């Protein structure tokens, strides 16, 4: 059995946001308490962390606190996806972990080295530039996608036996037809959607909204879609009633079975 746990499901600001008293930030509903985005996989005997959020320490203590993930995949080098790297490095160093690997395409690795140069020579883990990887019988592919106003990121595609495939795409907007090509007919697409309907001019946006995601599900013929990277505008108990079959919101701590 392959499973995924959502360590964090918020946008870059977290929920509740600082200095915000909106109806979502002020409530106690557990599904609306969100840390920055990261997921943890147990897949065909492999343990994998995708992204290391600024909230990594709390996430690790809450959902794991047993074994250091030996493989970390990084989607892009933005603050909300990598600023827990220092905590992860300390975890590896002080607990004698010598085999942990942080894997991402070369351009992302260059950005990480610029920001965290002091970490690149520490003991306990290694940085590896790669566009593909293997985990058991599953093949892993990094695919560059547009991230709107924020440049680009990488979506991670997993292909397993029996033609099963799923993808994690937390940050994307205005993805081109060429970039969408590998993501048709997925068994599962985990997609970032910060708002139900975002009103800001498209030139300033960086992530799809929920209404756009529903159209993409039909376009891509995804069997199942889970929405993550949710801002404080998404009140899950309210909006989940409006979602069609096959689409759901992620929340911190949610555990799902993976198709691969």
């Amino acid at each position: 059995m392959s499973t995924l746990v959502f360590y964090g499901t918020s946008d870059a600001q977290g929920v509740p946001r600082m200095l915000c008293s909106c109806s979502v930030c002020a409530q106690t509903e557990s599904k609306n308490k969100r840390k920055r985005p990261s997921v943890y996989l147990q897949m065909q005997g492999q343990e994998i962390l995708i992204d290391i959020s600024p909230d990594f320490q709390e996430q690790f203590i809450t959902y794991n606190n047993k074994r250091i993930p030996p493989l970390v995949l990084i989607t892009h080098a933005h603050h909300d996806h990598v600023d827990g790297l220092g905590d992860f490095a300390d975890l590896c160093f002080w607990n004698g972990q010598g085999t942990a690997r942080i894997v991402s395409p070369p351009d992302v690795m260059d950005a990480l080295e610029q920001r965290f140069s002091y970490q690149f020579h520490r003991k306990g883990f290694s940085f590896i530039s790669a566009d593909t990887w293997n985990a058991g019988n599953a093949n892993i592919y990094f695919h560059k996608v547009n991230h709107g106003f924020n440049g680009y990121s990488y979506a991670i595609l997993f292909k397993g036996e029996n033609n099963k495939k799923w993808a994690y795409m937390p940050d994307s907007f205005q993805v081109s037809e060429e970039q969408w090509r590998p993501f048709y007919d997925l068994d599962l697409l985990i997609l970032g959607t910060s708002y139900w309907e975002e009103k800001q001019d498209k030139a300033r946006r960086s992530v799809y909204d929920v209404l756009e995601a529903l159209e993409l599900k039909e376009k891509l013929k995804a069997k199942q879609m889970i929405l993550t990277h949710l801002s404080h505008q998404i009140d899950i108990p309210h909006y989940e009633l409006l979602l069609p079959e096959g689409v759901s919101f992620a929340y911190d701590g949610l555990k799902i079975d993976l198709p691969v």
Side-chain angles (χ1 to χ4, degrees):
M1 181 70 71
S2 296
T3 60
L4 178 151
V5 178
F6 287 90
Y7 273 15
T9 57
S10 80
D11 63 356
Q13 296 188 61
V15 182
R17 289 187 176 183
M18 295 182 287
L19 297 179
C20 183
S21 58
C22 75
S23 61
V24 172
C25 289
Q27 66 182 253
T28 59
E29 166 59 52
S30 61
K31 287 185 178 180
N32 286 335
K33 302 294 184 184
R34 300 189 265 274
K35 298 293 187 287
R36 267 69 67 88
S38 177
V39 296
Y40 174 76
L41 323 176
Q42 290 185 305
M43 192 173 65
Q44 299 182 352
Q46 308 285 316
E47 296 178 70
I48 304 171
L49 181 70
I50 302 181
D51 290 337
I52 314 175
S53 90
D55 305 308
F56 171 74
Q57 182 185 34
E58 183 178 352
Q59 292 167 335
F60 182 80
I61 290 172
T62 301
Y63 301 117
N64 189 332
N65 212 26
K66 295 178 182 178
R67 185 167 181 266
I68 299 171
L71 177 62
V72 181
L73 309 177
I74 302 295
T75 60
H76 58 307
H78 289 172
H79 161 76
D80 51 328
H81 293 261
V82 299
D83 269 22
L85 194 150
D87 288 330
F88 181 80
D90 285 343
L91 180 67
C92 293
F93 181 83
W94 293 109
N95 289 278
Q97 170 68 284
T99 59
R101 293 161 294 181
I102 298 174
V103 177
S104 197
D107 50 341
V108 176
M109 200 58 67
D110 289 345
L112 290 177
E113 187 168 14
Q114 289 180 11
R115 291 181 57 186
F116 301 99
S117 59
Y118 66 101
Q119 300 288 5
F120 268 64
H121 304 289
R122 293 185 69 186
K123 295 180 180 180
F125 60 98
S126 59
F127 293 88
I128 300 173
S129 296
D131 296 303
T132 63
W133 201 259
N134 291 100
N137 295 322
N139 296 314
I140 302 171
Y141 305 89
F142 290 85
H143 290 282
K144 182 179 282 190
V145 294
N146 293 332
H147 189 3
F149 182 73
N150 286 338
Y152 67 89
S153 68
Y154 282 87
I156 303 179
L157 177 66
F158 296 79
K159 291 184 178 180
E161 298 175 317
N162 302 317
N163 296 316
K164 295 289 187 179
K165 58 181 183 176
W166 69 278
Y168 182 71
M169 189 184 298
D171 279 280
S172 62
F173 187 61
Q174 296 180 323
V175 174
S176 71
E177 286 301 319
E178 180 68 21
Q179 291 171 344
W180 276 130
R181 189 171 297 174
F183 301 102
Y184 278 84
D185 301 307
L186 294 173
D187 294 282
L188 168 65
L189 173 59
I190 300 174
L191 184 70
T193 54
S194 293
Y195 293 84
W196 181 265
E197 183 178 11
E198 190 165 358
K199 302 293 188 180
Q200 186 171 215
D201 185 88
K202 286 188 176 182
R204 301 290 300 177
R205 290 177 53 194
S206 59
V207 180
Y208 286 108
D209 66 29
V210 175
L211 296 181
E212 292 164 336
L214 299 183
E215 295 178 356
L216 287 171
K217 182 178 184 296
E218 297 304 312
K219 168 189 171 72
L220 300 172
K221 298 180 173 59
K223 293 179 180 149
Q224 183 185 6
M225 175 179 277
I226 299 178
L227 307 176
T228 188
H229 208 279
L230 310 172
S231 79
H232 68 160
Q233 192 265 341
I234 299 292
D235 184 345
I236 289 181
H238 169 71
Y239 281 119
E240 65 185 354
L241 301 176
L242 306 179
L243 294 177
E245 184 177 356
V247 184
S248 59
F249 288 116
Y251 55 86
D252 290 16
L254 173 65
K255 183 176 181 179
I256 63 169
D257 293 331
L258 290 170
V260 177

